[in-house]
Amino acid sequence: MSWKAGLSRHLPILRFFACAESPSSRGVLGWYTKNYEELNILNPNMPLFLRTTDNAMSAVTTELSFTTDDLLKFMIQTGRFRNGNGTIAEDRVEAAKAYLKTDWALIRKERWASPGFDPEHPLLDQTNPDWKSDSKLSTDLALYLDLKEGVDEQTRVIESGPSNEYTRSENSLLMCQRVDLWCAGEQEVEAAVKHLYKLGRRFNSLEVENPDFITEFYPGVADF
């Protein structure tokens, strides 16, 4: 039961899909029906949805907070940086590895190297389009501009692959949020939920919402 009690700490939602009339969805419907009350008690703030429609593909999905670093590691490990002839694109692999070594803490620090000025202000190009010509700003932000230019160039190389390589890899990684359960039994459904729970522990960082005040009171032992 321990992993069921921890679902809402690592997953924001669980969605089950099934066809109410199809034998292939019996495992999903059976597991959901038998476990809904317990899961709802243990995870009162986590939505548990069951969507049914004719000929639905049985599945369970959630939401995982993948980062750009996660995507690049996925692309490197699965060999998705490919040239048009099918060979590994070493330039994009090296750019991805360099991106993964980026010192984001230093970039955030150097962003404020010039007091009172934010080089990432969303309206900067309208309010001060020639700010890079300012000698003081250029001096104060020299390291920031150098680091930012390096990251921008790495991103340009990473996303330059043929046939929407980067976008297709994003979509492939997002499919890890879904487990298809066509003709699965109840044990397979529970294994799928456990799998998503473990992924949530790895990739999600949810803040538990604790109430500011006690809203429910339960009587204690009479002679306490």
Side-chain angles (χ1 to χ4, degrees), residues 72-73 76 81 91-101 154 157-158:
L72 295 181
K73 291 175 183 178
I76 293 172
F81 287 112
D91 58 334
R92 296 199 294 283
V93 171
E94 292 305 315
K97 290 180 178 179
Y99 184 97
L100 291 172
K101 296 178 181 178
Q154 291 160 8
V157 174
I158 289 168

Side-chain angles (χ1 to χ4, degrees), residues 129-148:
D130 300 321
W131 66 272
K132 290 185 179 179
S133 301
D134 188 309
S135 58
K136 182 180 183 307
L137 292 178
S138 297
T139 302
D140 291 345
L141 297 169
L143 179 55
Y144 167 81
L145 293 173
D146 183 55
L147 293 171
K148 189 68 165 59

Side-chain angles (χ1 to χ4, degrees), residues 16-196:
F16 294 84
F17 299 88
C19 173
E21 304 298 330
S22 174
S24 64
S25 294
R26 287 176 183 169
V28 173
L29 294 172
W31 190 89
Y32 183 88
T33 302
K34 294 176 182 177
N35 289 273
Y36 175 81
E37 184 175 356
E38 179 185 8
L39 293 177
N40 194 42
I41 292 174
L42 295 174
N43 305 277
N45 295 324
M46 185 181 74
L48 295 166
F49 294 145
L50 174 63
R51 307 297 192 197
T52 59
T53 187
D54 292 342
N55 301 316
M57 169 67 78
S58 305
V60 57
T61 69
T62 188
E63 296 174 5
L64 300 172
S65 300
F66 293 121
T67 64
T68 301
D69 284 8
D70 295 325
L71 174 60
L72 295 181
K73 291 175 183 178
F74 169 73
M75 295 181 71
I76 293 172
Q77 293 169 0
T78 57
R80 291 178 180 268
F81 287 112
R82 296 278 177 173
N83 295 315
N85 59 5
T87 58
I88 295 293
E90 297 295 343
D91 58 334
R92 296 199 294 283
V93 171
E94 292 305 315
K97 290 180 178 179
Y99 184 97
L100 291 172
K101 296 178 181 178
T102 300
D103 190 342
W104 295 105
L106 179 60
I107 291 179
R108 287 191 294 269
K109 175 185 175 183
E110 291 299 322
R111 172 183 174 182
W112 306 106
S114 186
F117 182 80
D118 180 8
E120 295 186 17
H121 191 287
L123 301 179
L124 186 59
D125 290 338
Q126 300 177 23
T127 59
N128 190 1
D130 300 321
W131 66 272
K132 290 185 179 179
S133 301
D134 188 309
S135 58
K136 182 180 183 307
L137 292 178
S138 297
T139 302
D140 291 345
L141 297 169
L143 179 55
Y144 167 81
L145 293 173
D146 183 55
L147 293 171
K148 189 68 165 59
E149 183 179 351
V151 170
D152 291 343
E153 176 60 19
Q154 291 160 8
T155 302
R156 184 194 66 77
V157 174
I158 289 168
E159 297 179 357
S160 65
S163 305
N164 295 319
E165 170 187 82
Y166 187 82
T167 301
R168 291 169 62 190
S169 296
E170 280 184 311
N171 294 335
S172 295
L173 184 59
L174 289 175
M175 285 302 294
C176 293
Q177 301 176 135
R178 173 189 177 100
V179 179
D180 289 328
L181 296 168
W182 185 260
C183 292
E186 294 181 19
Q187 290 184 343
E188 287 80 6
V189 176
E190 180 156 317
V193 176
K194 283 185 179 180
H195 171 70
L196 294 178

